[in-house]
Amino acid sequence: MAGRGRIRAADIALVRERSKIDDIIGEHLQLKRAGGGSLKGLCPFHDEKSPSFQVTPSRGLYHCFGCGVGGDVIRFVQDIDHLSFTEAVELLANRANIELKYEDDGGRPTAGPDRASVGQRARLVAANTAAAAFYAEQLTTPEAAPARQFLADRAFDRQAALDFGCGYAPGGWDALTRHLRAKGFTQAELVTGGLAKESSRGTLIDPFHRRLVWPIRDITGDVIGFGARKLMDDDPGPKYLNTPETPLYKKSSVLYGIDRAKRDIAKRHQAVVVEGYTDVMACHLAGVTTAVASCGTAFGAEHIGVLRRLLMDQDEFRGEVVYTFDGDAAGQAAAMKTFAEDQRFVGQTFVAVEQEGRDPCELRQEQGDAAVRDLVARRTPLIAFVLRTTLAGYDLDTVEGRVAALEKTAPLVAQIKDHALRPAYARELAGMIGNVDESEVLERMRRVSGDGGGVPSRGRPRAPRRTPDDAAVAVEREAVKAALQVPEYAGPAFDAVPPAAFTDPDYAAVAAAVAAAGGAASTAVTGPAWLDEVAQHCERESARALLTALAVEPLRSVGEADAGYVNAVVARLQEMATVREIAGLKGRLQRMNPVEAGDEYMKAFKQLMDLEQLAISLRKRAVGGLG
């Protein structure tokens, strides 16, 4: 819970120093020695059969050469626990018993987070956790028989109730309140946490009475609120009640089951969005362990943001979201509404609708676990479902109906975020409407989208990308690796090589960033801190994406890199750049007339002699160090 100000840079460095990256990562996967002081294991962020996830404890960095993720210990905690940078630093600081200090943009000390607020969060989590235990105990009482029957009727046995923490809110006005007050929680804490509310006379009363209760956890697993289902006919309240908005519980971003599903969502690149608590239970028990549901509100933009982080939803289609809706009119309306929000996702989106209108809980109850898995497996692209649902409202046997249907659906196809799919869906839409030519659909799409409807243009072919000499690129990679990993060795020699000497644009950008950060020779930091400085000055996005790989990939020397090896690599880089300069100068001299050029020719010739001597000297240095 970050507040005013930012964490002091020195404290961030201290957190990195005291948080051993191999210990932190080792809690999530098995690491084995890989030589050169590095460790290897199976990547926790993607499926793989052979280990490509490499950790370099001496530099405090990790990188997966399979999926490309990488960074320092803070970045790992961010990604594995799905936290912000500040949250990850505070978590590691607490673990290492480091008291963080905060400052404003001018470097002046600030109060940082509101300490009372931080303490309040811990108290509210503790109160909610105690309430969850109380409700779970109540589920075993005679009074809770209707709640147990409700679960049994939906094929949830006692073990399922225990696994999901199901509970029962007893009758009476203040059973929970009295229990929590006896444990030392104050009236203000219970009201603030949504665990009690004040009556008109100022006394505290429980939020739920005679209801089946589910604890709602945040992404880290902390209990932050509850959902409660009506059981009794004489209960005047709505079918479902939820904890009100509190400092912990924000219904617009809370997803039930996210704590259980987060790892498999990230691993499988799939999220299944269902409509209720029992649907989440049914899916997970049936083996669909990526299921989540919104709590007390419609699935919206902030929920999408949560899933995007888990799915690593980026510029490529790495994941999918599967929505399940009831087969009735309300379910179809929900699908149509979802399509508008769906465009926020980069990944592909699908819809799974059971033909007889059963939700996952009812389907599992009647047909078993396999039917739930099959429902998700038979998912339909959301756009196809939306098109069919829309067309169902028009009489396609008439010209008027077909024209109106085209006017309504062509804009939907034009909205498809994957432009490569638009022409295919234009053809499919033409067939679905009937008696409509594909060109009519495309023309309508062009009018509404203004970008050609996703139809490929026939422009001039792109010029082939120049492929630099492989030997030169290999040396350039080794040199920038040295500048990032052991700047104390690379030092002045690397800094003397201009970025223009690099043939690979990414390595040239890294070299320029090293120079902009002050140069390898002058840096007072190494490891993640040095990598951060270089990244801040790296203007080429593709080069920034390479930084952790370059900082983790071992240098090619035998054992740990030494100053002699690094010096030889940089000398070889300088030699190759000098040879290219010599070739250019020779070509210039050949085009000159010595008599007409006079002094200019002699200056160029003298420069050529100097460069050739330099190349010889650099070659000797390189051969001596590289062997």
Side-chain angles (χ1 to χ4, degrees):
M1 290 188 58
R4 295 174 298 157
R6 61 188 180 193
I7 302 172
R8 197 174 60 168
D11 289 347
I12 294 174
L14 185 61
V15 166
R16 284 193 179 115
E17 178 185 336
R18 293 190 184 176
S19 302
K20 293 185 62 178
I21 192 168
D22 48 330
D23 286 347
I24 300 297
I25 293 179
E27 295 176 358
H28 298 274
L29 61 141
Q30 185 178 11
L31 293 171
K32 296 183 178 181
R33 296 192 180 279
S38 294
L39 303 168
K40 268 191 174 182
L42 292 174
C43 180
F45 301 111
H46 83 289
D47 288 326
E48 59 179 8
K49 294 183 179 179
S50 58
S52 59
F53 187 89
Q54 190 157 318
V55 182
T56 308
S58 62
R59 286 185 283 277
L61 296 167
Y62 71 93
H63 184 82
C64 177
F65 291 91
C67 67
V69 300
D72 62 4
V73 66
I74 299 172
R75 168 54 63 182
F76 181 83
V77 171
Q78 282 184 261
D79 290 345
I80 201 73
D81 288 326
H82 311 291
L83 303 174
S84 69
F85 177 83
T86 299
E87 288 169 337
V89 173
E90 291 179 342
L91 183 151
L92 289 169
N94 182 64
R95 177 175 175 147
N97 294 316
I98 297 171
E99 183 177 352
L100 299 174
K101 296 182 177 62
Y102 297 76
E103 61 188 16
D104 61 18
D105 291 338
R108 294 177 294 273
T110 69
D114 181 347
R115 289 300 159 192
S117 175
V118 173
Q120 178 194 66
R121 185 184 194 283
R123 291 289 292 171
L124 296 185
V125 169
N128 275 274
T129 302
F134 171 80
Y135 286 140
E137 290 175 3
Q138 294 298 308
L139 188 61
T140 64
T141 64
E143 183 189 345
R148 294 193 298 272
Q149 189 61 47
F150 177 94
L151 293 171
D153 289 345
R154 287 154 181 79
F156 299 128
D157 58 17
R158 182 173 181 274
Q159 188 57 50
L162 288 172
D163 288 346
F164 286 86
C166 296
Y168 178 73
W173 292 107
D174 60 354
L176 174 66
T177 300
R178 285 186 287 104
H179 176 78
L180 294 179
R181 288 300 302 272
K183 286 187 170 291
F185 295 102
T186 68
Q187 178 170 329
E189 287 171 340
L190 298 185
V191 173
T192 301
L195 296 166
K197 52 187 178 182
E198 290 182 320
S199 69
S200 57
R201 291 181 290 181
T203 57
L204 293 185
I205 58 176
D206 294 347
F208 311 122
H209 310 274
R210 299 184 301 161
R211 284 179 173 249
L212 176 62
V213 174
W214 287 267
I216 298 171
R217 301 175 184 273
D218 67 10
I219 201 166
T220 69
D222 287 338
V223 180
I224 57 173
F226 297 91
R229 210 277 188 188
K230 177 179 178 177
L231 298 170
M232 315 299 181
D233 292 337
D234 60 349
D235 185 336
K239 180 185 289 188
Y240 283 95
L241 280 175
N242 287 81
T243 296
E245 293 278 311
T246 73
L248 298 182
Y249 183 83
K250 308 292 184 184
K251 64 182 180 181
S252 60
S253 61
V254 171
L255 287 168
Y256 178 69
I258 195 69
D259 57 307
R260 286 174 162 267
K262 65 177 183 179
R263 296 286 166 80
D264 282 349
I265 288 174
K267 183 178 179 180
R268 300 181 185 181
H269 304 300
Q270 180 200 69
V272 177
V273 180
V274 298
E275 294 193 327
Y277 306 118
T278 57
D279 291 332
V280 171
M281 292 177 68
C283 283
H284 280 261
L285 292 171
V288 182
T289 55
T290 57
V292 295
S294 57
C295 303
T297 187
F299 185 82
E302 291 185 53
H303 298 122
I304 287 177
V306 173
L307 292 184
R308 281 194 54 146
R309 287 206 297 163
L310 290 174
L311 288 165
M312 293 180 283
D313 195 31
Q314 300 171 0
D315 290 338
E316 65 276 6
F317 292 98
R318 298 193 58 179
E320 64 179 38
V321 178
V322 182
Y323 299 99
T324 64
F325 297 107
D326 293 341
D328 57 15
Q332 292 182 353
M336 297 297 292
K337 182 178 179 181
T338 297
F339 179 71
E341 290 289 347
D342 164 65
Q343 303 310 305
R344 295 174 181 267
F345 280 113
V346 174
Q348 300 179 72
T349 47
F350 298 83
V351 60
V353 176
E354 208 277 324
Q355 293 303 312
E356 297 184 20
R358 289 172 291 201
D359 58 33
C361 178
E362 294 167 338
L363 189 59
R364 176 177 178 269
Q365 178 186 347
E366 296 179 20
Q367 297 185 16
D369 293 346
V372 177
R373 295 193 297 270
D374 186 57
L375 172 67
V376 175
R378 289 186 292 101
R379 62 201 181 281
T380 300
L382 180 58
I383 177 60
F385 179 83
V386 167
L387 291 177
R388 285 198 299 270
T389 301
T390 303
L391 291 175
Y394 295 89
D395 182 359
L396 300 182
D397 291 331
T398 67
V399 172
E400 292 79 5
R402 291 192 294 271
V403 170
L406 177 61
E407 291 293 308
K408 185 69 174 180
T409 53
L412 298 177
V413 178
Q415 290 178 39
I416 298 175
K417 50 189 170 291
D418 184 355
H419 288 217
L421 292 176
R422 292 182 184 178
Y425 271 106
R427 288 192 295 273
E428 185 161 334
L429 177 59
M432 292 167 72
I433 294 176
N435 292 321
V436 171
D437 191 77
E438 177 188 344
S439 61
E440 295 181 62
V441 180
L442 292 173
E443 178 57 33
R444 176 58 183 159
M445 289 167 58
R446 288 189 183 96
R447 293 207 306 269
V448 298
S449 68
D451 64 355
V455 181
S457 61
R458 295 185 177 180
R460 290 178 295 177
R462 294 181 180 178
R465 181 180 177 183
R466 181 181 67 85
T467 303
D469 178 68
D470 288 343
V473 171
V475 172
E476 291 168 11
R477 185 178 183 89
E478 200 74 352
V480 293
K481 280 161 55 179
L484 294 174
Q485 295 180 20
V486 282
E488 66 275 19
Y489 292 163
F494 181 88
D495 296 338
V497 181
F502 291 80
T503 61
D504 185 277
D506 284 332
Y507 301 152
V510 174
V514 169
S522 62
T523 180
V525 294
T526 57
W530 173 231
L531 202 65
D532 280 351
E533 288 192 20
V534 175
Q536 290 173 12
H537 292 88
C538 190
E539 297 181 355
R540 186 180 173 91
E541 184 176 350
S542 56
R544 283 198 304 275
L546 286 174
L547 288 178
T548 55
L550 296 171
V552 169
E553 183 182 297
L555 291 162
R556 293 184 179 180
S557 63
V558 178
E560 291 291 333
D562 57 24
Y565 173 78
V566 173
N567 183 56
V569 168
V570 177
R572 178 66 171 146
L573 174 66
Q574 290 176 307
E575 179 210 349
M576 298 176 81
T578 302
V579 168
R580 289 194 296 273
E581 190 175 354
I582 288 172
L585 190 54
K586 282 182 176 179
R588 179 185 167 200
L589 284 169
Q590 289 174 354
R591 294 189 297 272
M592 294 173 67
N593 185 313
V595 177
E596 294 178 358
D599 289 345
E600 182 182 356
Y601 182 89
M602 294 307 298
K603 287 180 181 178
F605 187 79
K606 174 66 167 56
Q607 184 182 3
L608 176 63
M609 295 299 100
D610 291 342
L611 287 173
E612 287 184 334
Q613 288 299 312
L614 175 61
I616 293 171
S617 173
L618 291 169
R619 190 173 302 117
K620 289 179 179 178
R621 282 172 49 196
V623 171
L626 296 174

